[in-house]
């Protein structure tokens, strides 16, 4: 193996991944995904869709999930810096409702693996960020669900600097909280 370093998180199923970066005076090269290396590390999912988004500072996307067609995701930042968060929504999980956050940037080149049945979101900390992710199922627009980013029952410690104006999509301002999710889906 050796091409990736996989670190487990306090929530089972979440992994922080650091690729090996080969650099010299010309620049660098790295493999962002190699099925064999990931499978050896215990992440053997087959990805079927790649997505990329661009956002400016203060954009908070999430917390999103698909209800009937859940997706595993492998996320990374190509340009800029984001604080990425996953919330455990797995039925019967001992860490149900708990969250884990990781700083992803073009400098640290870290990736974050988020399994099915987690809500996912991120906050852009740099002036501009490009975010890329692989998914194990296709996006189904009528299957989208979400949690409000500032639900006190989850208590995510978003690193929002003083004076930062949050920019949210209309839907992301109106999601319910964990209690409502639990009543509706669990």
């Amino acid at each position: 193996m050796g091409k990736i370093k996989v670190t487990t998180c306090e929530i089972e199923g979440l992994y922080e991944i650091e690729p090996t970066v080969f650099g010299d005076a010309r620049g660098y090269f790295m493999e962002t995904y190699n099925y064999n290396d990931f499978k050896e590390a215990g992440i053997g999912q087959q990805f079927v869709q790649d997505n990329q988004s661009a956002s400016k500072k203060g954009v908070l996307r999430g917390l999103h999930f698909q209800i009937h067609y859940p997706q595993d995701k492998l996320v990374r930042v190509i340009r800029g810096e984001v604080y990425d968060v996953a919330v455990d929504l797995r039925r019967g999980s001992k860490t149900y409702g708990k969250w884990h956050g990781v700083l992803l940037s073009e400098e640290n080149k870290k990736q974050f693996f988020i399994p099915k049945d987690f809500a996912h979101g991120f906050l852009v900390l740099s002036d501009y960020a490009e975010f890329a992710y692989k998914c194990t199922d296709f996006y189904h627009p009528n299957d989208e669900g979400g949690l409000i980013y500032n639900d006190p029952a989850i208590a995510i410690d978003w690193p929002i600097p003083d004076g930062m104006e949050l920019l949210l999509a209309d839907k992301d301002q109106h999601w319910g909280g964990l209690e409502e999710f639990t009543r509706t889906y669990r």
Side-chain angles (χ1 to χ4, degrees):
M1 194 165 99
K3 292 183 186 170
I4 58 173
K5 176 185 172 190
V6 177
T7 304
T8 57
C9 301
E10 66 274 2
I11 299 175
E12 183 180 342
L14 294 177
Y15 299 98
E16 293 182 22
I17 299 149
E18 296 176 65
T20 299
V21 180
F22 302 94
D24 60 26
R26 301 168 297 157
Y28 73 89
F29 171 84
M30 68 179 186
E31 283 186 358
T32 60
Y33 178 75
N34 178 306
Y35 175 77
N36 292 329
D37 289 342
F38 275 73
K39 185 176 179 185
E40 186 177 329
I43 308 168
Q45 287 78 352
Q46 295 281 339
F47 295 100
V48 299
Q49 182 175 318
D50 282 6
N51 301 318
Q52 185 169 331
S53 67
S55 304
K56 62 184 186 175
K57 188 175 196 166
V59 168
L60 196 153
R61 296 185 187 268
L63 300 158
H64 302 149
F65 55 87
Q66 289 200 160
I67 301 162
H68 301 291
Y69 301 95
Q71 302 169 315
D72 300 290
K73 294 179 180 176
L74 178 62
V75 304
R76 66 189 181 100
V77 168
I78 297 169
R79 185 171 169 204
E81 182 177 74
V82 308
Y83 188 69
D84 200 79
V85 172
V87 179
D88 188 353
L89 299 179
R90 297 172 295 179
R91 182 177 292 161
S93 170
K94 65 182 179 186
T95 53
Y96 181 80
K98 302 294 184 201
W99 64 276
H100 178 79
V102 60
L103 189 68
L104 303 176
S105 72
E106 67 184 295
E107 283 83 23
N108 71 22
K109 298 177 181 32
K110 282 186 178 182
Q111 298 180 73
F112 191 28
F113 176 78
I114 304 158
K116 291 178 171 90
D117 299 321
F118 276 73
H120 172 251
F122 64 88
L123 170 65
V124 178
L125 301 172
S126 54
D127 289 336
Y128 174 84
E130 290 182 28
F131 188 84
Y133 54 107
K134 304 176 98 43
C135 300
T136 57
D137 200 347
F138 300 103
Y139 174 67
H140 299 268
N142 296 324
D143 193 47
E144 189 174 40
L147 296 172
I148 191 72
Y149 76 96
N150 60 354
D151 181 4
I154 302 169
I156 296 170
D157 186 16
W158 295 100
I160 302 169
D162 288 340
M164 176 186 272
E165 177 187 351
L166 292 183
L167 305 168
L168 292 99
D170 187 56
K171 67 180 178 182
D172 290 341
Q173 297 177 50
H174 296 98
W175 296 118
L178 185 64
E179 184 178 315
E180 182 180 331
F181 172 83
T182 303
R183 276 195 318 269
T184 305
Y185 300 108
R186 299 292 180 238

